[in-house]
Amino acid sequence: MMIYAMQTAMLNSRFTPMPMKFQLPFCIVATLIFLIIFLKRKSVSAIIWILICDATLILQFYNDRTTALAVGICEIFLFAVLFVLWIRGKIAAKNSPPEDSSPDPENDDRADIEKLMKSEMQNIVPEKKEDVIGSAFDDDKL
């Protein structure tokens, strides 16, 4: 019971999600992480995540009911925008062709490889001479 009373005393307001000594480092670390993600991917959702994480910091300084309501509405709006962006990304990924440019194994034309192997085999083993290497992969002619 004593620990709980000490923890609640550290809160500046009933609207703050955590004490200031925990929330400020959290906001700094979250901002840095999402800023790095934004710089790497250039995604708007990373900026929205920064705003979502840092908006609650306002409640540490303004602890009235109106500010808490405004921050809550902004958080709900930002989460809705983030959800819409996620849905649009999923739809765009579904409609776009795959980025894999590997050849289709069913339609793979290997005639050029066969010609190259034939010419190389002729350089190694003359065609007129019948030997083991030259006829290793031929069918039996019995």
Side-chain angles (χ1 to χ4, degrees), residues 42-106:
K42 304 291 186 218
S43 66
V44 177
S45 62
I47 299 296
I48 294 172
W49 275 112
I50 291 173
L51 294 173
I52 288 172
C53 290
D54 293 345
T56 57
L57 195 59
I58 295 170
L59 297 174
Q60 292 287 348
F61 304 106
Y62 302 99
N63 53 9
D64 60 307
R65 177 176 237 130
T66 308
T67 305
L69 183 63
V71 169
I73 291 170
C74 287
E75 292 273 329
I76 291 171
F77 175 74
L78 289 172
F79 274 116
V81 169
L82 196 61
F83 183 72
V84 168
L85 287 175
W86 178 71
I87 293 293
R88 284 185 183 171
K90 288 289 185 184
I91 291 172
K94 190 177 184 180
N95 292 338
S96 68
E99 292 181 19
D100 186 21
S101 61
S102 62
D104 187 14
E106 293 177 3

Side-chain angles (χ1 to χ4, degrees), residues 6-76:
M6 289 173 36
Q7 290 295 328
T8 54
M10 287 192 297
L11 291 173
N12 291 340
S13 166
R14 65 182 178 165
F15 301 114
T16 57
M18 61 183 86
M20 180 70 144
K21 70 178 183 177
F22 296 126
Q23 188 171 6
L24 188 61
F26 168 77
C27 289
I28 291 170
V29 169
T31 301
L32 290 175
I33 289 171
F34 286 119
L35 191 61
I36 290 169
I37 291 172
F38 173 73
L39 293 175
K40 282 184 143 186
R41 297 184 184 169
K42 304 291 186 218
S43 66
V44 177
S45 62
I47 299 296
I48 294 172
W49 275 112
I50 291 173
L51 294 173
I52 288 172
C53 290
D54 293 345
T56 57
L57 195 59
I58 295 170
L59 297 174
Q60 292 287 348
F61 304 106
Y62 302 99
N63 53 9
D64 60 307
R65 177 176 237 130
T66 308
T67 305
L69 183 63
V71 169
I73 291 170
C74 287
E75 292 273 329
I76 291 171

Side-chain angles (χ1 to χ4, degrees), residues 103-109:
D104 187 14
E106 293 177 3
N107 298 329
D108 191 17
D109 186 24

